[in-house]
Amino acid sequence: MSKMPSYTSTTNACKLCKPLGASIAFRGIEGCVPFLHGSQGCATYMRRYIISHFNEPIDIASSSLGEKNAIYGGGPNLKLGLKNVTSKYAPQLIGVATTCLTETIGDDVPMLLAEYRNEFGGSEMPLLVHVSTPSYSGTHMEGFHAAVKAVVEQLASDTIANGSINLLSGFISPADIRYLRGVCDDFGMATTILPDYSDTLDGPAENDYPLIPAGGTPLHAIKQMGGARATIELGATLPAESGGTVLLHRHATPLHRTGLPIGIRATDAFFALLSELSGRAVPAPHAAARGRLIDSMVDGHKYIFGKRAVIYGEEDLVVGLVSFLAEIGVQPVLCASGGKSGRFADAITAALAGLDCELPIVREDVDFFDIETLALELGIDLVIGHSKGYTFARKENLPLIRVGFPIHDRVGGQRILHLGYHGAQALFDLITNTVIDRKQSESPVGYSYM
Ligand code: SF4
């Protein structure tokens, strides 16, 4: 295996900008407007990415800093921006994320927000949450988790026992969020899912454009998260400090961390946890879905067994997918991510423990130049990840199975279901049919059925 060359440029990054992840998390909170303390260009770039994937409009406000703010500081722009957003949108919450520029010039955002509250405070003032998201030191996933932690840290205050469950579900699709909500309902558990952008980033068509779309995690529920019975936090590479650990340390809310429930084993573990917390057996429709999934695996195994795949994207998603692929007989040969949590390789090893599967090559902090170079040496049949791998897949004439974020070159990225038995079924059918389609299109005789 060749050693990666030493160079300083990035060729088609396998990650996105840190405040972009924070903006998506803020969008999943009721009545919230995401606000970037930085230049207009940053907000425009993020809106473009989010709109292209979710096919929904998203307003991301900005303090619109210019050159002179880089010298004199962005405080006045931040305060004016907050006033404008408050009067135009009447939000319940403004989520303020910093950018590379404001982190570099060293704006003290907590102090500026304290000044703003003193200067303009009143009953009409929305809640303000701030998060530090310098993109040169992290990815969109880190920004997402940082925003969730900031929301919990700055808003969860009520510790009166309320019997509910907190579910910090990580960066998943709107379809995944809806699925989780349904599963929790089926277990009879009152659950606060944070964040919940299943409606705000995947809502119905409306005649009038709502400045703030309906939906999102209710603010009153966030304030009560400290009184929950337990917190479930999904993700295998979560930071040491997270929303879940804040609830644990500040409010003594028991914390259960588990990977994203992708594939049979991970979903079994998640459902076992829900059974334990709810005191109920796995509801019959979900047990039946599991049975159908296994039946389909038996049926389709002959098509996909032994295929070799490269998987890339957010670390937690890749960890979930890798065990699922091993379960269905696809050999994951390369797992890659632009993230660099330092926990990626261990999480992959843990996810594959006990499965009849060779350990894949694992690379964090890589771009698509790295991924392509390695993948070609390993010999692969399938590329699994988001649209940013399209160039590489097309060049090498490999089928790309689109999962995760961002999906720019297909519709329905927001409707991809990855989680649970239902998500595994959808992924299994997609992968198997892709392999069959490739075989047919490469066959000189095509296909016929007598
Ligand atoms: S990477 Fe930095 S400069 Fe670029 S859009 Fe993100 S915050 Fe702005």
Side-chain angles (χ1 to χ4, degrees), residues 17-20 39 41-43 45-46 98-101 133-136:
C17 158
K18 197 168 178 181
L20 184 154
S39 70
C42 298
Y45 154 75
M46 292 174 212
T98 50
T99 63
C100 299
L101 172 63
T133 45
S135 202
Y136 45 77

Side-chain angles (χ1 to χ4, degrees), residues 26 28-33 90-95 125-129 151-152 154-158 192-194 215-226:
F26 285 138
I29 296 168
E30 177 188 58
C32 179
V33 173
Q92 297 179 57
L93 171 70
I94 302 177
M125 176 179 272
L127 295 166
L128 304 172
V129 167
V151 166
V152 170
Q154 295 167 48
L155 296 184
S157 50
D158 189 349
T192 298
I193 299 179
L194 177 70
T217 314
L219 279 171
H220 71 82
I222 296 174
K223 290 176 185 168
Q224 294 171 356
M225 287 177 87

Side-chain angles (χ1 to χ4, degrees), residues 62-205:
S62 160
S63 49
S64 299
L65 302 191
E67 287 87 347
K68 78 174 183 203
N69 302 108
I71 298 165
Y72 297 111
N77 279 47
L78 174 60
K79 293 174 186 176
L80 181 60
L82 293 173
K83 277 185 77 176
N84 288 341
V85 168
T86 302
S87 64
K88 183 170 163 58
Y89 290 83
Q92 297 179 57
L93 171 70
I94 302 177
V96 181
T98 50
T99 63
C100 299
L101 172 63
T102 48
E103 288 287 338
T104 303
I105 64 179
D107 268 359
D108 186 342
V109 172
M111 184 200 74
L112 292 168
L113 293 184
E115 286 179 3
Y116 180 78
R117 287 188 187 97
N118 283 337
E119 289 167 30
F120 303 106
S123 57
E124 301 301 306
M125 176 179 272
L127 295 166
L128 304 172
V129 167
H130 60 88
V131 60
S132 168
T133 45
S135 202
Y136 45 77
S137 73
T139 68
H140 62 294
M141 273 308 293
E142 289 172 63
F144 183 95
H145 288 309
V148 171
K149 174 170 171 264
V151 166
V152 170
E153 233 166 17
Q154 295 167 48
L155 296 184
S157 50
D158 189 349
T159 53
I160 297 170
N162 56 51
S164 69
I165 301 291
N166 303 320
L167 179 52
L168 307 182
S169 48
F171 186 27
I172 54 178
S173 73
D176 289 326
I177 298 175
R178 279 193 289 274
Y179 175 77
L180 288 179
R181 196 190 303 132
V183 168
C184 293
D185 287 350
D186 292 342
F187 273 96
M189 299 194 318
T191 308
T192 298
I193 299 179
L194 177 70
D196 181 355
Y197 40 86
S198 59
D199 292 325
T200 58
L201 283 174
D202 190 20

Side-chain angles (χ1 to χ4, degrees), residues 102-439:
T102 48
E103 288 287 338
T104 303
I105 64 179
D107 268 359
D108 186 342
V109 172
M111 184 200 74
L112 292 168
L113 293 184
E115 286 179 3
Y116 180 78
R117 287 188 187 97
N118 283 337
E119 289 167 30
F120 303 106
S123 57
E124 301 301 306
M125 176 179 272
L127 295 166
L128 304 172
V129 167
H130 60 88
V131 60
S132 168
T133 45
S135 202
Y136 45 77
S137 73
T139 68
H140 62 294
M141 273 308 293
E142 289 172 63
F144 183 95
H145 288 309
V148 171
K149 174 170 171 264
V151 166
V152 170
E153 233 166 17
Q154 295 167 48
L155 296 184
S157 50
D158 189 349
T159 53
I160 297 170
N162 56 51
S164 69
I165 301 291
N166 303 320
L167 179 52
L168 307 182
S169 48
F171 186 27
I172 54 178
S173 73
D176 289 326
I177 298 175
R178 279 193 289 274
Y179 175 77
L180 288 179
R181 196 190 303 132
V183 168
C184 293
D185 287 350
D186 292 342
F187 273 96
M189 299 194 318
T191 308
T192 298
I193 299 179
L194 177 70
D196 181 355
Y197 40 86
S198 59
D199 292 325
T200 58
L201 283 174
D202 190 20
E206 305 211 32
N207 288 332
D208 297 314
Y209 175 62
L211 283 178
I212 300 179
T217 314
L219 279 171
H220 71 82
I222 296 174
K223 290 176 185 168
Q224 294 171 356
M225 287 177 87
R229 270 195 301 131
T231 300
I232 302 172
E233 198 165 34
L234 301 182
T237 63
L238 291 164
E241 303 276 316
S242 64
T245 63
V246 168
L247 289 162
L248 173 67
H249 296 138
R250 283 204 187 163
H251 305 294
T253 313
L255 175 60
H256 303 269
R257 278 182 158 188
T258 181
L260 288 174
I262 298 177
I264 296 243
R265 289 207 318 181
T267 304
D268 284 351
F270 178 62
F271 274 63
L273 177 58
L274 296 186
S275 280
E276 179 191 325
L277 292 173
S278 66
R280 295 191 186 186
V282 173
H286 296 285
R290 186 184 190 280
R292 284 192 296 270
L293 172 61
I294 290 177
D295 184 50
S296 71
M297 289 180 176
V298 174
D299 297 339
H301 190 248
K302 61 189 174 201
Y303 297 111
I304 54 175
F305 176 76
K307 296 294 179 199
R308 296 163 66 82
V310 52
I311 318 146
Y312 59 83
E314 291 114 17
E315 291 162 284
D316 284 341
L317 179 69
V318 173
V319 172
L321 287 170
V322 85
S323 61
F324 166 64
L325 291 176
E327 287 169 1
I328 64 174
V330 173
Q331 171 69 44
V333 292
L334 172 62
C335 296
S337 179
K340 48 177 179 179
S341 68
R343 291 174 280 275
F344 191 36
D346 287 346
I348 297 272
T349 303
L352 292 177
L355 288 169
D356 184 16
C357 176
E358 282 176 34
L359 282 180
I361 306 277
V362 180
R363 291 283 187 273
E364 60 175 38
D365 195 21
V366 290
D367 62 12
F368 277 97
F369 178 87
D370 303 325
I371 294 172
E372 182 174 353
T373 306
L374 284 166
L376 293 184
E377 290 184 27
L378 292 163
I380 54 174
D381 305 294
L382 296 168
V383 179
I384 302 177
H386 50 72
S387 291
K388 283 164 73 71
Y390 173 79
T391 311
F392 143 59
R394 177 183 161 90
K395 189 171 144 203
E396 304 305 333
N397 190 28
L398 291 163
L400 170 61
I401 292 166
R402 290 167 179 79
V403 289
F405 173 88
I407 309 289
H408 294 314
D409 62 334
R410 291 287 186 278
V411 297
Q414 72 276 42
R415 291 186 291 277
I416 296 176
L417 181 63
H418 310 79
L419 304 189
Y421 304 124
H422 291 77
Q425 184 69 78
L427 290 176
F428 180 79
D429 292 346
L430 176 64
I431 291 169
T432 308
N433 285 328
T434 300
V435 171
I436 293 172
D437 179 66
R438 173 54 61 117
K439 191 170 181 187

